[in-house]
Amino acid sequence: ETLDFDECGSTDSNNCDSRAACSNIVDSFTCKCPEGFSEVNAGEFCIARPVFVTHGFVHSLLIDIHGQLFSFGGNENGQLGVGDLTERHAPTRVPGLPEARDACGGGRTQHEGGFLWCWLQ
C-alpha cells in the first residue's frame, strides 16, 4: 500500500493559484486554471484577458476582464500594494480590493467606483 501526502489539502502545501483546481497525484500535485484563464507556470498563476495596462517608473498594473487588479515590478516602497517589499517579475493579484475599473501606475493608487485606494510603506 502506498501512502501519499495530499498537497491539495492545504494551500500551504501547494503553489496553485487560488482560482486553479489542485489535483493530488502520487508524490506531487497539478494545478489547472479555469476555462477562459491563461496559465503561467502550470497553474501557479491564472489570469484572464487583460483589458487595461498602465505603468509607473519601476512597476506596472493591469486589470483583467473580471476586474481583478494585478501589479508587478519594483516594490522597494510597497508600491505594488501586495503587503510586502518584494520585487515581482510576474503579475500578482492585489489583495482586498473590490472590482477595479481604472488604475494609474505613476504613483501608488487605484481608482474604483468613486473611491481612491492608495498604498505605500
Side-chain angles (χ1 to χ4, degrees), residues 28-74:
S28 191
F29 61 94
T30 60
C31 308
K32 179 73 175 147
C33 293
E35 187 174 330
F37 286 78
S38 297
E39 287 188 357
V40 177
N41 294 333
E44 287 182 31
F45 177 68
C46 302
I47 187 167
R49 182 175 57 86
V51 294
F52 182 84
V53 179
T54 187
H55 62 88
F57 184 67
V58 295
H59 71 288
S60 298
L61 301 171
L62 72 84
I63 298 172
D64 73 12
I65 195 168
H66 299 290
Q68 295 289 304
L69 179 68
F70 295 84
S71 60
F72 54 102

Coordinates of all heavy atoms in Angstrom, one line a residue, residues 28-74:
S28 N 3.1 14.2 -5.7 CA 3.0 15.5 -6.3 C 1.6 16.0 -6.4 O 0.7 15.5 -5.8 CB 3.7 15.5 -7.7 OG 3.9 16.8 -8.1
F29 N 1.4 17.1 -7.2 CA 0.1 17.6 -7.5 C 0.2 18.4 -8.8 O 1.2 18.7 -9.3 CB -0.3 18.6 -6.3 CG 0.6 19.8 -6.2 CD1 0.3 21.0 -6.8 CD2 1.8 19.7 -5.4 CE1 1.2 22.0 -6.7 CE2 2.6 20.7 -5.3 CZ 2.4 21.9 -6.0
T30 N -1.0 18.7 -9.3 CA -1.1 19.5 -10.5 C -2.1 20.6 -10.3 O -3.0 20.5 -9.5 CB -1.5 18.7 -11.8 OG1 -2.8 18.2 -11.6 CG2 -0.5 17.6 -12.1
C31 N -1.9 21.7 -11.0 CA -2.8 22.9 -10.9 C -3.4 23.1 -12.3 O -2.6 23.1 -13.3 CB -2.0 24.1 -10.5 SG -1.0 23.9 -9.0
K32 N -4.7 23.4 -12.3 CA -5.3 23.7 -13.6 C -6.2 24.9 -13.5 O -7.1 25.0 -12.6 CB -6.2 22.5 -14.0 CG -6.9 22.7 -15.3 CD -6.0 22.6 -16.5 CE -6.8 22.7 -17.8 NZ -6.1 23.4 -18.8
C33 N -5.9 26.0 -14.3 CA -6.7 27.2 -14.2 C -8.1 27.0 -14.9 O -8.2 26.1 -15.7 CB -6.0 28.3 -15.0 SG -4.4 28.8 -14.2
P34 N -9.1 27.7 -14.4 CA -10.4 27.6 -15.0 C -10.4 28.0 -16.5 O -9.5 28.7 -17.0 CB -11.2 28.6 -14.2 CG -10.4 29.1 -13.1 CD -9.0 28.8 -13.4
E35 N -11.4 27.5 -17.2 CA -11.6 27.8 -18.6 C -11.7 29.3 -18.7 O -12.3 30.0 -17.9 CB -12.9 27.2 -19.1 CG -13.1 27.3 -20.6 CD -14.3 26.6 -21.1 OE1 -14.6 25.5 -20.6 OE2 -14.8 27.1 -22.1
G36 N -11.0 29.8 -19.8 CA -11.0 31.3 -20.0 C -9.9 32.0 -19.4 O -9.7 33.2 -19.6
F37 N -9.1 31.3 -18.6 CA -7.9 31.9 -17.9 C -6.6 31.3 -18.6 O -6.6 30.2 -19.0 CB -7.9 31.6 -16.4 CG -8.9 32.3 -15.6 CD1 -10.2 31.9 -15.6 CD2 -8.5 33.4 -14.9 CE1 -11.1 32.6 -14.9 CE2 -9.4 34.1 -14.1 CZ -10.7 33.7 -14.1
S38 N -5.6 32.1 -18.7 CA -4.3 31.7 -19.1 C -3.5 31.2 -17.9 O -3.6 31.8 -16.8 CB -3.5 32.8 -19.8 OG -4.2 33.2 -21.0
E39 N -2.7 30.2 -18.2 CA -1.8 29.6 -17.1 C -0.4 30.1 -17.2 O 0.1 30.2 -18.3 CB -1.8 28.1 -17.1 CG -3.1 27.5 -16.7 CD -2.9 25.9 -16.6 OE1 -1.9 25.4 -16.9 OE2 -3.9 25.3 -16.2
V40 N 0.2 30.4 -16.1 CA 1.6 30.7 -16.0 C 2.2 29.7 -15.1 O 1.6 29.5 -14.0 CB 1.9 32.2 -15.6 CG1 3.4 32.4 -15.4 CG2 1.2 33.1 -16.5
N41 N 3.3 29.1 -15.4 CA 4.0 28.1 -14.6 C 3.0 27.0 -14.1 O 2.9 26.7 -12.9 CB 4.6 28.8 -13.3 CG 5.8 29.7 -13.7 OD1 6.4 29.5 -14.7 ND2 6.0 30.7 -12.9
A42 N 2.3 26.4 -15.1 CA 1.5 25.2 -14.8 C 0.5 25.4 -13.7 O 0.3 24.6 -12.8 CB 2.3 24.0 -14.6
G43 N -0.2 26.6 -13.8 CA -1.3 26.8 -12.8 C -0.9 27.6 -11.6 O -1.7 27.8 -10.7
E44 N 0.4 27.9 -11.4 CA 0.8 28.7 -10.3 C 0.2 30.1 -10.3 O 0.0 30.8 -9.3 CB 2.3 28.9 -10.2 CG 3.1 27.6 -9.9 CD 4.6 27.9 -9.8 OE1 5.0 29.0 -9.5 OE2 5.3 26.9 -10.1
F45 N -0.2 30.5 -11.5 CA -0.8 31.9 -11.7 C -1.8 31.8 -12.8 O -1.5 31.3 -13.9 CB 0.3 32.9 -12.1 CG -0.2 34.2 -12.4 CD1 -0.7 35.0 -11.4 CD2 -0.1 34.8 -13.6 CE1 -1.2 36.3 -11.6 CE2 -0.6 36.0 -13.9 CZ -1.1 36.8 -12.9
C46 N -3.0 32.2 -12.6 CA -4.1 32.2 -13.5 C -4.5 33.6 -13.8 O -4.8 34.4 -12.8 CB -5.3 31.4 -13.0 SG -5.0 29.7 -12.6
I47 N -4.6 34.0 -15.0 CA -5.0 35.4 -15.3 C -6.0 35.4 -16.5 O -5.8 34.6 -17.5 CB -3.8 36.3 -15.6 CG1 -4.3 37.8 -15.7 CG2 -3.0 35.9 -16.8 CD1 -3.2 38.8 -15.7
A48 N -7.0 36.2 -16.4 CA -8.0 36.3 -17.5 C -7.4 37.4 -18.5 O -6.4 38.0 -18.2 CB -9.3 36.8 -17.0
R49 N -8.1 37.6 -19.6 CA -7.6 38.5 -20.6 C -7.5 39.9 -20.0 O -8.4 40.5 -19.4 CB -8.6 38.6 -21.7 CG -8.2 39.5 -22.9 CD -9.1 39.4 -24.1 NE -10.5 39.6 -23.7 CZ -11.1 40.9 -23.7 NH1 -10.3 41.9 -24.0 NH2 -12.3 41.0 -23.4
P50 N -6.3 40.5 -20.1 CA -6.1 41.9 -19.6 C -7.0 42.9 -20.5 O -7.0 42.7 -21.7 CB -4.6 42.2 -19.8 CG -4.0 40.9 -19.9 CD -5.0 40.0 -20.5
V51 N -7.6 43.9 -19.8 CA -8.3 44.9 -20.5 C -7.8 46.3 -20.3 O -8.1 47.2 -21.0 CB -9.8 44.9 -20.1 CG1 -10.5 43.6 -20.6 CG2 -10.0 45.1 -18.6
F52 N -6.8 46.4 -19.4 CA -6.2 47.7 -19.1 C -4.8 47.5 -18.5 O -4.6 46.6 -17.6 CB -7.1 48.5 -18.0 CG -6.5 49.8 -17.7 CD1 -6.9 50.9 -18.5 CD2 -5.7 50.0 -16.6 CE1 -6.4 52.2 -18.3 CE2 -5.2 51.3 -16.3 CZ -5.5 52.4 -17.1
V53 N -3.8 48.2 -19.0 CA -2.5 48.1 -18.5 C -1.9 49.5 -18.4 O -2.1 50.3 -19.3 CB -1.6 47.3 -19.5 CG1 -0.1 47.2 -19.0 CG2 -2.1 45.9 -19.7
T54 N -1.2 49.8 -17.3 CA -0.5 51.1 -17.2 C 0.8 50.8 -16.4 O 1.0 49.7 -15.9 CB -1.4 52.1 -16.4 OG1 -0.8 53.4 -16.4 CG2 -1.7 51.6 -15.0
H55 N 1.6 51.8 -16.4 CA 2.9 51.6 -15.8 C 3.4 52.9 -15.1 O 3.0 54.0 -15.4 CB 4.0 51.1 -16.8 CG 4.3 52.1 -17.9 ND1 5.2 53.1 -17.7 CD2 3.7 52.3 -19.1 CE1 5.2 53.9 -18.8 NE2 4.3 53.4 -19.6
G56 N 4.3 52.6 -14.1 CA 4.9 53.7 -13.4 C 6.4 53.7 -13.8 O 6.8 53.1 -14.8
F57 N 7.2 54.3 -13.0 CA 8.7 54.3 -13.3 C 9.3 52.9 -13.2 O 10.1 52.6 -14.0 CB 9.4 55.3 -12.3 CG 10.8 55.5 -12.6 CD1 11.2 56.1 -13.8 CD2 11.8 55.1 -11.7 CE1 12.6 56.3 -14.1 CE2 13.1 55.2 -12.0 CZ 13.5 55.8 -13.2
V58 N 9.0 52.2 -12.2 CA 9.6 50.8 -12.0 C 8.5 49.7 -11.8 O 8.9 48.6 -11.4 CB 10.6 50.8 -10.8 CG1 11.7 51.7 -11.0 CG2 9.9 51.2 -9.5
H59 N 7.3 50.0 -11.9 CA 6.2 49.0 -11.8 C 5.1 49.2 -12.8 O 5.0 50.2 -13.4 CB 5.7 49.0 -10.3 CG 4.8 50.2 -10.0 ND1 5.3 51.5 -9.9 CD2 3.5 50.3 -9.8 CE1 4.4 52.3 -9.6 NE2 3.2 51.6 -9.6
S60 N 4.3 48.1 -12.9 CA 3.2 48.2 -13.8 C 1.9 47.6 -13.1 O 2.0 46.8 -12.2 CB 3.5 47.3 -15.1 OG 4.6 47.9 -15.8
L61 N 0.8 48.0 -13.7 CA -0.5 47.5 -13.2 C -1.3 47.0 -14.3 O -1.2 47.6 -15.4 CB -1.3 48.6 -12.5 CG -0.6 49.3 -11.3 CD1 -1.4 50.5 -10.8 CD2 -0.5 48.3 -10.1
L62 N -2.1 46.0 -14.1 CA -3.1 45.6 -15.1 C -4.4 45.2 -14.5 O -4.4 44.7 -13.3 CB -2.5 44.5 -16.1 CG -2.3 43.1 -15.5 CD1 -3.6 42.3 -15.6 CD2 -1.2 42.4 -16.4
I63 N -5.5 45.3 -15.2 CA -6.8 44.9 -14.8 C -7.3 43.8 -15.8 O -7.2 44.1 -17.0 CB -7.8 46.1 -14.7 CG1 -7.3 47.1 -13.7 CG2 -9.2 45.6 -14.4 CD1 -8.1 48.4 -13.7
D64 N -7.7 42.7 -15.3 CA -8.2 41.7 -16.2 C -9.7 41.9 -16.5 O -10.4 42.7 -15.9 CB -7.9 40.3 -15.7 CG -8.7 39.8 -14.5 OD1 -9.7 40.4 -14.2 OD2 -8.3 38.7 -14.0
I65 N -10.3 41.0 -17.3 CA -11.7 41.2 -17.8 C -12.6 41.0 -16.6 O -13.8 41.4 -16.7 CB -12.0 40.2 -18.9 CG1 -13.3 40.5 -19.6 CG2 -11.9 38.7 -18.4 CD1 -13.5 39.8 -20.9
H66 N -12.2 40.4 -15.5 CA -13.0 40.2 -14.3 C -12.9 41.3 -13.3 O -13.4 41.2 -12.2 CB -12.7 38.8 -13.7 CG -13.0 37.7 -14.6 ND1 -14.2 37.3 -15.0 CD2 -12.1 36.8 -15.2 CE1 -14.2 36.2 -15.8 NE2 -12.9 36.0 -16.0
G67 N -12.1 42.3 -13.6 CA -11.9 43.4 -12.7 C -10.9 43.2 -11.6 O -10.8 44.0 -10.7
Q68 N -10.1 42.2 -11.8 CA -9.0 41.9 -10.8 C -7.8 42.8 -11.1 O -7.4 42.9 -12.3 CB -8.6 40.4 -10.8 CG -9.7 39.5 -10.4 CD -10.0 39.6 -8.9 OE1 -9.1 39.5 -8.1 NE2 -11.2 39.9 -8.6
L69 N -7.2 43.5 -10.1 CA -6.1 44.3 -10.3 C -4.8 43.5 -10.0 O -4.7 42.8 -9.0 CB -6.1 45.5 -9.4 CG -5.0 46.5 -9.4 CD1 -4.9 47.2 -10.8 CD2 -5.0 47.5 -8.3
F70 N -3.8 43.6 -10.9 CA -2.5 42.9 -10.7 C -1.4 43.9 -10.8 O -1.5 44.9 -11.5 CB -2.3 41.9 -11.8 CG -3.3 40.7 -11.8 CD1 -4.6 40.9 -12.4 CD2 -3.0 39.5 -11.1 CE1 -5.5 39.8 -12.3 CE2 -3.9 38.5 -11.1 CZ -5.2 38.7 -11.7
S71 N -0.3 43.7 -10.0 CA 0.8 44.6 -10.1 C 2.1 43.8 -10.2 O 2.1 42.6 -9.8 CB 0.9 45.5 -8.8 OG 1.0 44.6 -7.6
F72 N 3.1 44.4 -10.8 CA 4.4 43.7 -10.9 C 5.5 44.8 -11.2 O 5.2 45.9 -11.6 CB 4.4 42.6 -12.0 CG 4.0 43.1 -13.3 CD1 4.9 43.3 -14.3 CD2 2.6 43.2 -13.6 CE1 4.5 43.7 -15.6 CE2 2.2 43.6 -14.9 CZ 3.1 43.8 -15.9
G73 N 6.7 44.4 -10.8 CA 7.9 45.3 -11.0 C 8.5 45.6 -9.7 O 8.5 44.8 -8.7
G74 N 9.2 46.7 -9.6 CA 9.9 47.2 -8.4 C 8.9 47.4 -7.3 O 7.8 47.8 -7.5

